[in-house]
Amino acid sequence: MQHAILYSPFCSAVRVPNLTMSTPEEAPANSKNRKKRDPSDPAIINTSAAAAAATAANDTSSNSPRYRVLNPRDSLGPYITNPEFFVPKTVIRHNPAFVYIRDLFPKSLVHTLLLPRDFAVMKMHPFDAFENPVLLRVVKAEAEVLKGFVVADLKRQFGEQNGRDWKKDVKIGVHAKPSMNHLHVHVLSRDHYSDKLTTAKHYSSFNSPFFVGLDEFPLAPDDLRRTHPLAFTKGDLICWRCKKNFGNDYATLRKHLVGEFNEWKKEGGGDY
């Protein structure tokens, strides 16, 4: 088995086994002999975004190896261990300690993820990982770098707009109960204008205390999001921009967000 050597500022070098790979030519034979799995097996239950992400990670292009991701919740793994195979379509940048990727199912116009590569922390829950002050400091610094990429993308699309501070339109944080197994930090524009934002749960997960800003860490020991994270997604749907309350009417909110996006993108001046 091949190994990737990962280094980070907060942990000594460790050897991480690469995911099993096969070339496209070998894949048909392998899949032909694969046993049919019980669809009730919790390790392979396809849960919306996680399942879709697994499909995307199982790259079938002629230029990339094909990864066998059996658990959809492990679909960020290939980007962490072998990011070079996903440049430039998905991976924005990578170094020995972190990978920056575009979220394949963005919940805003610009939605990116920061992935720590340290084997000692990559499978930790963010609440536990960010108890480490050294790790938290390094992740915050790296997230600011990725924030710069998001800002640059917004400027590319909508211009400088009389010196508009686009940094104020980017938020950074994690979910209280992440849908993916690998530690990741969301860095995204706050517009929530995306055809992938299809459910009230999607919206609430980024617009309620369920979305924990990176600047909130370290969390207090008695923070209720540690023990009852999903309770924070049950409230009314509130427009992020005008604060109008839509109750549980996501269909109406979604239409409303289109108008808010069109106003938001030109707040600093300009016709876009």
Side-chain angles (χ1 to χ4, degrees), residues 14-62:
V14 294
R15 289 184 177 270
V16 182
N18 287 344
L19 297 183
T20 303
M21 295 181 288
S22 64
T23 63
E25 291 76 15
E26 296 171 329
N30 290 338
S31 59
K32 183 177 181 180
N33 297 325
R34 188 177 300 159
K35 293 182 179 180
K36 187 175 181 180
R37 295 178 176 272
D38 181 354
S40 65
D41 183 346
I44 59 169
I45 289 177
N46 292 339
T47 56
S48 58
T55 301
N58 291 330
D59 195 329
T60 58
S61 69
S62 59

Side-chain angles (χ1 to χ4, degrees), residues 199-242:
T199 69
K201 183 178 180 181
H202 287 161
Y203 183 81
S204 293
S205 70
F206 287 96
N207 291 278
S208 70
F210 183 81
F211 185 76
V212 187
L214 200 57
D215 57 358
E216 296 183 59
F217 287 96
L219 287 184
D222 60 349
D223 193 306
L224 290 178
R225 289 172 292 187
R226 291 182 180 275
T227 54
H228 300 84
L230 295 180
F232 293 91
T233 65
K234 307 299 184 182
D236 289 351
L237 299 169
I238 309 294
C239 173
W240 68 268
R241 188 166 182 265
C242 72

Side-chain angles (χ1 to χ4, degrees), residues 147 151 164-171 190 240 264:
K147 182 178 182 178
V151 167
R164 177 177 178 175
D165 186 3
W166 284 105
K167 289 183 179 179
K168 295 180 179 179
D169 292 293
V170 180
K171 54 187 183 181
R190 66 175 183 167
W240 68 268
W264 166 81

